[in-house]
Amino acid sequence: MEDPVVSPKTSWKILKNAVVMSLAFMIHFTAYNGTANLQSSINAEAGLGTTSLAVVCAGFIISNMFLPIIVIKWLGTKWTISLSFLAYLPYFAAQMYPSFYTLIPAAFIMGIGGAPLWCAKSTYLSAAAEANTKTSNLRLEVLLVRFFGIFFMIYQLNQVWGNLISSLVLSSGDNLAAVTPINDSMIVQLCGANFMPSAHADEALQRQPPEKIRMISGIYLGCTVAASLLVAVGVDSIKSNKKDQNNANKSGIHLLATTLKLFIEPKHLMLASINVFVGMQQAFFGADFTAAYVSCSVGVGTVGFVMMSFGFANASGCVVMEQMAKTVGRLPLIIAAFIIHGSLMVTLLTFNLQPNQPAVMYVIASLWGFCDSIWAVQISAFYGIVFKGREEAAFSNVRLCESSGYIIAYIISPHLRTGVKTYILMVTMLVGVVLYIIVEFRERKANTSIKTPEPQEKTIDFDNKAFEYSK
């Protein structure tokens, strides 16, 4: 097969598209994460907020089983991303009038749109990384880490802007509900590891003024529309080469079968647990930590500022990890994240929570964000290597497992004390990391002891030969 021709000009074009797409995700998830981080605080009654987030994940799982590959085949990655953003609009609008009949259906619609969105993103980045192997001396493994690192560096800034918006709005004016409603003597008894949403939410958390929630929702609606337009106008399409018979002859049903078949492969099943943990720890931090430690002891108005420090650390970690991965490799970084994250969980269990300790919250949030950047970048890049040639199916299953972790965390959130949920999280992390290490060493052994023929390369040419960029 003739080698692809990728000019330096085309290489810059590839990078430009990856950056613009990352900016669109940052803008869009400024709205989503800003909203999600407040659900356990502003919609705490009867666990409505966390229940809605669980429904989001349920919709995501159902969608993930059937839609991503078929939708990407029909629309391409660009238009899948642009249109999937719009599925989030009903949920943001429902925040203005939160009830079971508004939030739950809107949450399900959002979940349905989320699976094609994330699968299309990962597929796009994988194609961009593979294309750049033709213009550099770097291996695909390094370039995958680079492109996913660029994406997550920009994307994680959504935690900064989304939470800045919510905190400034909630803290503006004479908003007494932005501060903790309980007295200092009750914080030790009700907050931290002892916090139980179903029993303590009404006592420890106060409802926010409706006009402020509506203002926040209006801002977030605008962010999502802007993100959709940015992808539609600023990102080029990738069209598969019709000469590539391996892909051209695949029907949507055949691609769906590929996804399901991949899901039951032993190495995918072994990696599933670490992806479940990644989803659980993100959900735990956004729902349980913010309610039990921040809102309960410091006040709802501080949640956004604490989550901003999480976002800054996460974005910075993506940059640092991309450089460190080239020096020390992926496995030492995963082990470092395991040690740091485990230490944070032990701290949450043993920390003697006292009133007016926001500095401690910022430190925990920053370290948690740094660990999350390692999980996000390194695990995503590892999937691109282990399941090369089946990226759509692999990344679809990654999000399915992460969503399963989210839904587990959200379902148990209202009914268990924070300390119990922390123990569950620690066990899940331990199992996930051990199984990941087994797969890592098996892959290394297979690559060094068995000489296998190189897989047939896809022709990738961003100058309208194989992968075609077009508006």
Side-chain angles (χ1 to χ4, degrees):
M1 180 177 289
E2 182 180 339
D3 287 336
V5 178
V6 182
S7 66
K9 180 179 178 180
T10 303
S11 183
W12 279 107
K13 191 175 185 180
I14 297 169
L15 180 60
K16 182 271 294 183
N17 279 279
V19 170
V20 173
M21 187 187 68
S22 302
L23 287 170
F25 268 75
M26 180 198 71
I27 295 170
H28 171 68
F29 280 92
T30 287
Y32 173 71
N33 284 324
T35 301
N37 291 336
L38 291 173
Q39 290 307 297
S40 60
S41 299
I42 65 174
N43 292 319
E45 186 177 354
L48 177 61
T50 51
T51 299
S52 73
L53 293 175
V55 171
V56 171
C57 297
F60 189 101
I61 291 173
I62 294 172
S63 172
N64 200 80
M65 293 173 64
F66 302 102
L67 290 183
I69 293 178
I70 298 173
V71 172
I72 293 171
K73 180 180 175 67
W74 287 345
L75 300 177
T77 52
K78 168 185 172 175
W79 292 108
T80 297
I81 292 169
S82 181
L83 296 177
S84 294
F85 281 153
L86 301 181
Y88 287 63
L89 292 177
Y91 188 74
F92 301 145
Q95 300 297 321
M96 299 182 183
Y97 303 96
S99 72
F100 180 89
Y101 299 103
T102 58
L103 274 184
I104 301 304
F108 186 75
I109 293 171
M110 183 166 69
I112 293 294
L117 173 67
W118 282 98
C119 185
K121 178 273 298 181
S122 296
T123 302
Y124 197 104
L125 291 178
S126 295
E130 188 173 350
N132 270 262
T133 61
K134 311 304 177 184
T135 58
S136 70
N137 295 321
L138 298 176
R139 293 175 290 115
L140 177 62
E141 178 176 353
V142 174
L143 288 169
L144 280 168
V145 172
R146 172 172 296 177
F147 273 84
F148 277 100
I150 290 172
F151 171 81
F152 282 108
M153 175 193 68
I154 298 173
Y155 162 79
Q156 291 295 356
L157 290 174
N158 75 77
Q159 291 284 2
V160 177
W161 309 122
N163 291 296
L164 178 62
I165 291 169
S166 63
S167 288
L168 290 178
V169 173
L170 291 176
S171 300
S172 63
D174 186 18
N175 183 12
L176 296 179
V179 299
T180 178
I182 61 177
N183 59 52
D184 294 352
S185 62
M186 296 294 292
I187 287 178
V188 176
Q189 300 178 33
L190 299 183
C191 302
N194 294 323
F195 185 78
M196 187 169 180
S198 60
H200 302 151
D202 292 339
E203 187 176 3
L205 307 175
Q206 287 187 357
R207 183 178 295 276
Q208 298 299 302
E211 62 274 12
K212 291 186 180 292
I213 301 301
R214 291 168 188 164
M215 181 184 297
I216 292 173
S217 299
I219 295 171
Y220 290 161
L221 285 168
C223 288
T224 292
V225 172
S228 180
L229 292 174
L230 180 59
V231 172
V233 175
V235 174
D236 298 319
S237 296
I238 299 179
K239 296 181 180 179
S240 296
N241 182 11
K242 293 181 180 179
K243 296 180 181 179
D244 187 352
Q245 296 300 318
N246 289 331
N247 287 329
N249 293 331
K250 288 183 180 178
S251 66
I253 299 299
H254 184 81
L255 291 171
L256 174 60
T258 302
T259 303
L260 297 177
K261 182 179 179 181
L262 175 63
F263 190 80
I264 62 174
E265 285 190 12
K267 59 185 175 184
H268 182 276
L269 290 174
M270 294 180 73
L271 289 173
S273 56
I274 196 167
N275 286 302
V276 170
F277 161 72
V278 171
M280 287 183 67
Q281 60 90 16
Q282 291 176 350
F284 174 89
F285 190 80
D288 296 297
F289 176 79
T290 55
Y293 290 88
V294 185
S295 296
C296 190
S297 67
V298 184
V300 177
T302 309
V303 170
F305 294 118
V306 171
M307 293 302 295
M308 282 175 60
S309 63
F310 170 87
F312 271 123
N314 209 321
S316 302
C318 291
V319 179
V320 174
M321 290 306 104
E322 192 267 330
Q323 297 300 320
M324 290 187 65
K326 293 188 292 187
T327 304
V328 301
R330 180 174 49 250
L331 183 58
L333 295 178
I334 294 292
I335 294 175
F338 172 76
I339 295 172
I340 297 172
H341 224 149
S343 300
L344 289 174
M345 295 177 204
V346 172
T347 301
L348 294 182
L349 290 169
T350 59
F351 178 50
N352 185 20
L353 190 62
Q354 298 295 328
N356 300 319
Q357 291 183 316
V360 177
M361 307 302 169
Y362 290 115
V363 172
I364 293 174
S366 298
L367 291 173
W368 201 290
F370 189 76
C371 291
D372 187 62
S373 70
I374 298 177
W375 302 123
V377 175
Q378 301 304 322
I379 298 301
S380 295
F382 189 52
Y383 262 76
I385 296 162
V386 174
F387 303 106
K388 186 176 183 295
R390 296 179 291 172
E391 289 88 351
E392 294 94 338
F395 289 125
S396 179
N397 287 334
V398 167
R399 296 304 299 180
L400 188 150
C401 294
E402 288 185 7
S403 294
S404 299
Y406 271 97
I407 200 168
I408 291 169
Y410 289 140
I411 287 175
I412 67 175
S413 180
H415 309 295
L416 297 177
R417 294 186 184 277
T418 304
V420 175
K421 288 176 280 191
T422 304
Y423 280 117
I424 294 173
L425 198 62
M426 292 175 70
V427 172
T428 307
M429 180 179 67
L430 176 61
V431 172
V433 171
V434 169
L435 292 177
Y436 157 78
I437 291 174
I438 293 173
V439 176
E440 176 80 53
F441 278 105
R442 284 183 177 180
E443 287 297 304
R444 293 186 182 187
K445 183 178 180 180
N447 291 335
T448 55
S449 63
I450 302 176
K451 185 67 176 179
T452 57
E454 289 293 324
Q456 188 178 22
E457 292 285 345
K458 296 178 184 177
T459 301
I460 300 179
D461 184 353
F462 284 81
D463 291 322
N464 297 323
K465 288 195 176 110
F467 278 112
E468 181 181 291
Y469 266 133
S470 61
K471 287 291 184 186

